[in-house]
């Protein structure tokens, strides 16, 4: 059996990817490495643990000894890196751990990939590495857009992308990178916008929105993102970067009002708070490249997936 090693697999997107690979590829083993920080949970892997083709290893990607041991024992052919500190607010308060995990950890993984002859290393990145677009513009980021990160988080992810590309050029490591928009779906830790708003609304607490709420994000359903990554690691050429967007540009205020409507809560519980430092105005991704080269398109109906997501959090938080 081919072995896929998924780092950060106990987190939100990573756990969905673990489930996706186990279901899509019955001839694959999946090994998950996760440090189990506050945003990860073994509960996210309940379905995976039922499979004889799944193995979990608690380890830190920054620990060379732990990573080497895992690679030596498991001998993965493919490595997909979801492991990252990802909350922008936390990066503003304390950048250090973001620099360590999101940059140094990636280097540790790639060194192991070279040592154990891994056939593909895939780095899961973010649209935030491109910086901000104007609210009045119809422009979208392409894979050739310059990197202009605004926060320590996005700067750490941009740095990792450059490090990955350097390993491709210097060591001929077979790599690929995907940069996605804002993911939504089940299992997201409730510091992120959608689960936080749902939890606060159900607890009859104010729904805090930065600034005037006009900031726009491109939202993608997590299962569409997983499908795109699977396609990239199996079908793309080495050294390629792909934007993975959902074609769902929505302002934060509109999204939160949509949550209020789903939960039958009044808009009056929305509370505008001082804006985040370095807050990007708009993200929008062109998906022309992945569409033309790999024939990928986001499949989820946004409204249906959004309602399903809200209902999942509702059932979780009302337990």
């Amino acid at each position: 059996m081919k072995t896929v090693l998924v780092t950060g697999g106990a987190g939100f997107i990573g756990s969905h990817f673990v489930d996706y690979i186990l279901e899509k590829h019955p001839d694959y083993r999946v090994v998950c490495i996760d440090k189990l920080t506050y945003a990860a949970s073994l509960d996210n892997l309940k379905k995976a643990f039922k499979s004889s083709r799944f193995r979990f290893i608690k380890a830190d990607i920054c620990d060379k000894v732990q990573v080497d041991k895992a690679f030596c024992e498991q001998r993965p052919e493919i490595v997909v890196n979801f492991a990252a500190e990802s909350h922008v607010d936390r990066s503003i308060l304390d950048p250090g751990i973001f620099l360590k995990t999101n940059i140094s950890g990636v280097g540790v993984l790639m060194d192991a990939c070279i040592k154990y002859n891994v056939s593909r290393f895939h780095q899961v990145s973010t649209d935030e590495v491109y910086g901000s677009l104007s609210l009045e513009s119809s422009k979208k980021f392409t894979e050739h857009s310059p990197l202009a990160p605004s926060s320590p988080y996005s700067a750490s992810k941009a740095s990792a992308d450059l490090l990955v590309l350097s390993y491709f050029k210097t060591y001929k490591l077979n790599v690929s990178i995907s940069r996605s928009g804002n993911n939504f779906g089940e299992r997201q830790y409730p510091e992120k916008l959608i689960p936080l708003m749902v939890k606060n609304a159900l607890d009859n607490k104010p729904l805090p929105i930065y600034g005037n709420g006009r900031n726009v994000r491109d939202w993608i359903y997590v299962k569409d993102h997983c499908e795109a990554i699977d396609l990239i690691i199996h079908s793309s050429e080495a050294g390629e970067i792909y934007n993975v967007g959902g074609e769902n540009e929505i302002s934060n205020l509109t999204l939160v009002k949509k949550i209020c409507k789903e939960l039958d809560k009044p808009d009056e519980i929305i509370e505008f708070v001082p804006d985040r430092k370095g807050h990007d105005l708009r993200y929008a991704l062109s998906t022309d490249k992945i569409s033309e080269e790999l024939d990928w398109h986001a499949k989820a109906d946004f409204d249906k997936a959004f309602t399903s997501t809200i209902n999942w959090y509702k059932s979780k938080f009302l337990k």
Side-chain angles (χ1 to χ4, degrees):
M1 283 190 172
K2 181 173 287 189
T3 298
V4 179
L5 190 150
V6 180
T7 65
F12 166 44
I13 309 174
S15 65
H16 280 280
F17 186 73
V18 167
D19 289 346
Y20 181 91
I21 293 296
L22 286 171
E23 182 176 348
K24 179 73 180 295
H25 300 282
D27 56 337
Y28 281 21
R29 293 176 64 244
V30 176
V31 177
C32 169
I33 286 181
D34 202 296
K35 186 181 177 181
L36 294 180
T37 61
Y38 74 94
S41 173
L42 291 179
D43 284 344
N44 293 338
L45 295 169
K46 282 182 179 179
K47 184 177 179 182
F49 275 114
K50 295 177 182 178
S51 173
S52 62
R53 294 180 289 115
F54 177 72
R55 170 80 187 276
F56 176 80
I57 300 172
K58 183 178 180 182
D60 183 350
I61 65 168
C62 296
D63 189 317
K64 293 183 180 180
V65 174
Q66 291 180 348
V67 169
D68 187 270
K69 184 173 185 292
F71 274 68
C72 181
E73 292 177 351
Q74 303 302 321
R75 299 288 171 161
E77 284 88 357
I78 298 171
V79 175
V80 182
N81 180 39
F82 290 93
E85 295 290 339
S86 65
H87 193 48
V88 175
D89 287 351
R90 289 177 184 266
S91 81
I92 294 171
L93 294 173
D94 184 12
I97 186 62
F98 287 75
L99 306 182
K100 182 179 180 182
T101 299
N102 298 358
I103 304 173
S104 298
V106 174
V108 171
L109 289 174
M110 290 193 294
D111 287 341
C113 286
I114 293 171
K115 180 177 179 180
Y116 292 98
N117 298 312
V118 170
S119 61
R120 171 60 65 97
F121 174 80
H122 182 79
Q123 171 69 3
V124 180
S125 189
T126 170
D127 57 1
E128 296 192 41
V129 299
Y130 296 122
S132 184
L133 291 168
S134 166
L135 292 176
E136 291 73 31
S137 171
S138 59
K139 180 181 178 182
K140 294 186 177 183
F141 294 124
T142 73
E143 290 81 359
H144 296 292
S145 296
L147 302 185
S150 302
S151 69
Y153 161 67
S154 56
S156 70
K157 295 296 285 186
S159 300
D161 287 3
L162 294 175
L163 187 62
V164 169
L165 293 175
S166 77
Y167 269 61
F168 169 65
K169 294 176 181 177
T170 302
Y171 305 108
K172 310 305 178 187
L173 179 63
N174 188 330
V175 305
S176 52
I177 298 171
S178 57
R179 294 170 177 157
S180 82
N182 280 34
N183 281 238
F184 73 98
E186 303 83 359
R187 307 178 194 165
Q188 197 169 25
Y189 189 75
E191 66 183 357
K192 297 300 178 73
L193 183 62
I194 292 177
L196 176 63
M197 295 300 113
V198 174
K199 190 174 191 306
N200 278 18
L202 294 175
D203 291 340
N204 294 311
K205 294 180 178 178
L207 310 187
I209 296 182
Y210 284 126
N212 57 19
R214 293 183 62 208
N215 303 70
V216 171
R217 301 294 180 259
D218 176 16
W219 292 87
I220 181 171
Y221 188 46
V222 63
K223 293 180 181 179
D224 279 337
H225 186 193
C226 292
E227 181 186 56
I229 294 173
D230 180 41
L231 192 60
I232 292 168
I233 62 177
H234 287 99
S235 302
S236 73
E237 297 293 328
E240 292 296 325
I241 301 169
Y242 292 93
N243 287 342
V244 182
E247 306 285 342
N248 296 303
E249 288 187 55
I250 304 173
S251 74
N252 291 343
L253 181 57
T254 299
L255 188 78
V256 174
K257 285 184 176 180
K258 190 175 177 66
I259 292 173
C260 288
K261 185 176 181 181
E262 290 281 350
L263 297 176
D264 196 25
K265 296 288 184 177
D267 291 351
E268 285 72 24
I269 64 174
I270 294 173
E271 180 182 86
F272 295 101
V273 299
D275 208 356
R276 168 193 283 164
K277 294 178 180 178
H279 199 181
D280 290 330
L281 291 174
R282 173 175 166 258
Y283 302 140
L285 290 172
S286 167
T287 57
D288 288 349
K289 181 179 178 181
I290 193 171
S291 173
E292 293 169 3
E293 294 187 8
L294 304 181
D295 194 28
W296 178 88
H297 307 272
K299 294 183 174 68
D301 178 282
F302 177 80
D303 288 329
K304 289 181 180 179
F306 185 80
T307 297
S308 174
T309 298
I310 300 305
N311 288 336
W312 187 87
Y313 286 115
K314 185 177 179 181
S315 65
K316 175 181 172 65
F317 295 141
L318 287 178
K319 281 182 179 180

